[in-house]
Amino acid sequence: MASLDSSPGRQGAMPEERPDEAAELGTAVPDLAPAEVQALVAHLYGMDVGVKALAGERDQNCALESSDGARYVFKISNPSEPVSLVDFQIAAIEHIARTSPGQPVPRVVRMLDGRARGTVALADGTPTTVRMLTYLEGVQIRETPRTAAQRIAMGKGLAELNLALRDFTHPAATHDLLWNVSAAHRLTVQLDSLAEGPRRALARSFMARFTAHVLPRLASLRAQVIHNDYHLYNVLVAPDDPARITGIIDFGDMLHAPLVGEVATAAAFHMTGSADPFEGPAQFVGAYQSVLPLTAPEQEVVADLMATRHLITALISEWRALRYPENRAYILRHNPAAWEGLSQMADLSRHEARDRLLTPTRTGASS
């Protein structure tokens, strides 16, 4: 059973720095029973709720519905996640609510005592953090047909979110995260875990491309806090209008990093669903640039970083699936598309990929 522990001493026992940058990806997801979640919510928020499980890679997520029909999301953090990172996510969401209230992001629900988060002890005594957000209505984009109008809405929506976060800072924003395309070289060791054959060779070639041509340029590019996980699972749309965005969720991969990495990460998810794998990404990036144009140096590496996102998805998901086979389906949900994307880009030069992604939005960056 989980137990409430609101004492300052126990809360201070939460690790504030990661002993291992992969700690969260190597620690099992919490698994509180619905009755335990109900008891915690009643104690902390004074609510009588029904509980339904939601999918999650690192945290335990629950959909709640109160007796008056109001809906919420209750998050039980992975025990290895530092409290500072939870505070970072809370602060970012509250910053967006203050500075750009029209953004379709969740709102933080405070506990009875006014705090934005609480601390509980899991069954083995390990402390972890809990918090509640409002539930955003809509359907995940992955459940709707892909259209140009939808990609344009997503591109403009991400640019507007980035503008809302442009001036936001937090002490924990520069934390280590494996899902950071600008630090893909740290996953080089994972190449040897792939079976010998075409996939390992493909992954090695793209890692070499990143290390030689992209990594040296990144320090000179614009950087800010980014969402870093803006894809078909984390953007919601209206059921009757799949091009109208109603929600942006899951700020768990947020960090301070090059802005172009945000664009490339999101664009990578649009390669599937069209005969031309660059059609969707080009529509998305074009729409993004209509609101927040990329600089010429950013345009030079955005296609490379799109491939890099596929690379780290393949490497991290294969490792995670072996470690946690019980969550294999969720962990590998993007894996086939990642390998497909790398294969589709394998025969293109860096400049060919760049031009196909940016046409007709390219603004004259030098080759």
Side-chain angles (χ1 to χ4, degrees), residues 37-55:
V37 173
Q38 288 177 315
L40 286 174
V41 171
H43 184 91
L44 295 172
Y45 296 90
M47 297 181 186
D48 181 15
V49 296
V51 178
K52 181 180 178 181
L54 295 173

Side-chain angles (χ1 to χ4, degrees), residues 149-184:
Q150 186 183 78
R151 296 184 190 107
I152 290 169
M154 288 187 72
K156 291 181 176 179
L158 180 59
E160 290 163 358
L161 178 65
N162 289 155
L163 288 172
L165 286 168
R166 182 166 53 182
D167 298 324
F168 173 67
T169 61
H170 191 275
T174 56
H175 68 101
D176 287 328
L177 183 73
L178 291 181
W179 291 106
N180 177 4
V181 292
S182 64

Side-chain angles (χ1 to χ4, degrees), residues 185-222:
H185 56 291
R186 296 183 301 174
L187 289 168
T188 300
V189 66
Q190 293 298 327
L191 294 171
D192 291 334
S193 68
L194 298 175
E196 188 67 52
R199 282 190 168 182
R200 184 193 284 190
L202 184 64
R204 283 194 179 281
S205 69
F206 278 101
M207 184 64 80
R209 180 184 294 191
F210 170 81
T211 304
H213 300 289
V214 181
L215 185 59
R217 303 173 185 234
L218 293 178
S220 64
L221 303 182
R222 288 181 295 180

Side-chain angles (χ1 to χ4, degrees), residues 100-253:
S100 188
Q103 283 290 313
V105 301
R107 298 299 192 256
V108 176
V109 179
R110 294 188 171 263
M111 298 186 297
L112 290 172
D113 62 7
R115 291 183 298 158
R117 59 169 170 82
T119 303
V120 302
L122 300 179
D124 63 357
T126 303
T128 194
T129 306
V130 297
R131 62 196 187 277
M132 187 185 292
L133 303 171
T134 55
Y135 185 96
L136 300 180
E137 300 293 341
V139 297
Q140 291 175 316
I141 280 185
R142 70 184 181 95
E143 298 176 357
T144 67
R146 302 286 82 70
T147 65
Q150 186 183 78
R151 296 184 190 107
I152 290 169
M154 288 187 72
K156 291 181 176 179
L158 180 59
E160 290 163 358
L161 178 65
N162 289 155
L163 288 172
L165 286 168
R166 182 166 53 182
D167 298 324
F168 173 67
T169 61
H170 191 275
T174 56
H175 68 101
D176 287 328
L177 183 73
L178 291 181
W179 291 106
N180 177 4
V181 292
S182 64
H185 56 291
R186 296 183 301 174
L187 289 168
T188 300
V189 66
Q190 293 298 327
L191 294 171
D192 291 334
S193 68
L194 298 175
E196 188 67 52
R199 282 190 168 182
R200 184 193 284 190
L202 184 64
R204 283 194 179 281
S205 69
F206 278 101
M207 184 64 80
R209 180 184 294 191
F210 170 81
T211 304
H213 300 289
V214 181
L215 185 59
R217 303 173 185 234
L218 293 178
S220 64
L221 303 182
R222 288 181 295 180
Q224 66 168 73
V225 171
I226 59 175
H227 181 278
N228 198 45
D229 206 20
Y230 187 89
H231 58 62
L232 309 183
Y233 284 69
N234 289 339
V235 181
L236 310 178
V237 293
D240 59 348
D241 183 1
R244 180 167 66 86
I245 295 174
T246 61
I248 302 170
I249 60 175
D250 195 352
F251 286 72
D253 283 351

Side-chain angles (χ1 to χ4, degrees), residues 31 84 100 182 228 237 241 254 264 270 283 288 292 299 309:
D31 189 22
S84 59
S100 188
S182 64
N228 198 45
V237 293
D241 183 1
M254 188 173 55
H270 294 279
Q283 291 169 346
Y288 184 97
L292 182 55
Q299 290 186 22
R309 174 63 191 206

